[in-house]
Amino acid sequence: MEQRDEGGAQVREKVAWVLVRDHQVLVTRSHGRDVFYFPGGMREPGESDSQTLVREIDEELQTAIDPATMVHVGTFEVPAGHPERGPFRMICYTADHQGPLAPAMEIAEKAWFRYADRHRVSYVDSLVLQALYDGGLLR
């Protein structure tokens, strides 16, 4: 789904899940891609952030997000004109889950990244890794 920025331009938005364990963060890689991304995806028409996150994480990792535990981590943006297809906004949440973390659908693999792995993620995802590192959550 797209929103408008302050200048009226359309901004694509992704709702993403940030799962940190043992100073590492969960990332996923889609089939046919080399770069890793935070799991999550775009809203369907009329969906809230929590509905989007629950649906996307179930589809991608076959696990159930508990929407009552969602906490906003931050919103990260790629500016217009950026080589990585800006403008783009990623709205990130932590949340508890139940079930396996088993890649499904378009997800080829999951991985646990440290701060040193930031060169293996997209630009916007590297902003999240930097914020987690700055906050002492990643090593």
Side-chain angles (χ1 to χ4, degrees), residues 50-63:
S50 62
Q51 291 168 326
T52 302
L53 199 64
V54 167
R55 177 182 52 77
E56 286 284 346
I57 300 308
D58 179 54
E59 290 173 359
E60 294 180 359
L61 292 167
Q62 303 179 65
T63 197

Side-chain angles (χ1 to χ4, degrees), residues 40-109:
M42 307 299 188
R43 282 187 213 89
E44 295 291 334
E47 274 187 334
S48 67
D49 285 2
S50 62
Q51 291 168 326
T52 302
L53 199 64
V54 167
R55 177 182 52 77
E56 286 284 346
I57 300 308
D58 179 54
E59 290 173 359
E60 294 180 359
L61 292 167
Q62 303 179 65
T63 197
I65 292 292
D66 179 355
T69 65
M70 285 176 59
V71 176
H72 183 247
V73 173
T75 299
F76 302 86
E77 300 199 23
V78 177
H82 191 276
E84 286 198 19
R85 299 180 13 192
F88 179 78
R89 181 178 299 129
M90 190 163 72
I91 306 160
C92 298
Y93 295 90
T94 61
D96 294 341
H97 72 97
Q98 284 192 342
L101 295 171
M105 296 194 61
E106 75 268 14
I107 304 302
E109 70 176 307

Side-chain angles (χ1 to χ4, degrees), residues 27-37 106 108-109 111 113 117-122:
V27 292
T28 57
R29 184 182 61 76
S30 297
H31 293 282
R33 296 263 176 107
D34 294 327
V35 174
F36 285 80
Y37 301 89
E106 75 268 14
E109 70 176 307
F113 277 14
D117 298 308
R118 66 191 177 281
H119 66 281
R120 299 178 62 196
V121 301
S122 73

Side-chain angles (χ1 to χ4, degrees), residues 15-33:
V15 179
W17 186 33
V18 177
L19 180 61
V20 177
R21 288 189 183 154
D22 301 322
H23 300 283
Q24 298 177 84
V25 68
L26 177 69
V27 292
T28 57
R29 184 182 61 76
S30 297
H31 293 282
R33 296 263 176 107

